Amino acid sequence: MLVDANTNETGLVEMSYRCFIYYRSTGDSYTVSSRSMDGGLCDTDYDGEMVTADYLMGINYPASLQVRSDLQSPITVRKGEYSSKKLLPKVKNLQIRKRT
């Protein structure tokens, strides 16, 4: 995950052995770009629960469906992993998040 405090740009880089996927936003919807290392296509589809116009969620599981497929990532996301999503509307700063 990347953040540029000067430009308010946020980003997420995910990669497998064959594809690099980059999500980038400056406050609007994320743009997604990809680069293939083997000349094949890299799909830019992603998990809509993890990448939204409001936030990027990092839970040590690929948001990119391509990276999941390339790495043959087992579904290891526990039910509670997405529970932070319920708290997100209440979080306006770091101090609030620490209390929740």
Side-chain angles (χ1 to χ4, degrees), residues 50-66:
M50 296 176 70
V51 178
T52 74
D54 295 325
Y55 62 84
L56 289 168
M57 183 180 290
I59 56 173
N60 295 327
Y61 186 68
S64 163
L65 302 185
Q66 178 71 60

Side-chain angles (χ1 to χ4, degrees), residues 85-97:
K85 183 180 177 204
K86 295 175 194 169
L87 301 172
L88 287 172
K90 300 174 188 174
V91 176
K92 303 296 182 210
N93 59 48
L94 186 58
Q95 289 74 29
I96 292 172
R97 177 60 184 113

Side-chain angles (χ1 to χ4, degrees), residues 16-61:
S16 67
Y17 62 91
R18 61 173 296 274
C19 289
F20 286 82
I21 311 291
Y22 179 53
Y23 305 90
R24 176 181 180 266
S25 176
T26 54
D28 294 322
S29 296
Y30 282 87
T31 58
V32 185
S33 56
S34 66
R35 177 172 293 230
S36 171
M37 302 309 289
D38 65 1
L41 294 176
C42 294
D43 190 352
T44 58
D45 287 342
Y46 54 85
D47 184 325
E49 293 284 320
M50 296 176 70
V51 178
T52 74
D54 295 325
Y55 62 84
L56 289 168
M57 183 180 290
I59 56 173
N60 295 327
Y61 186 68

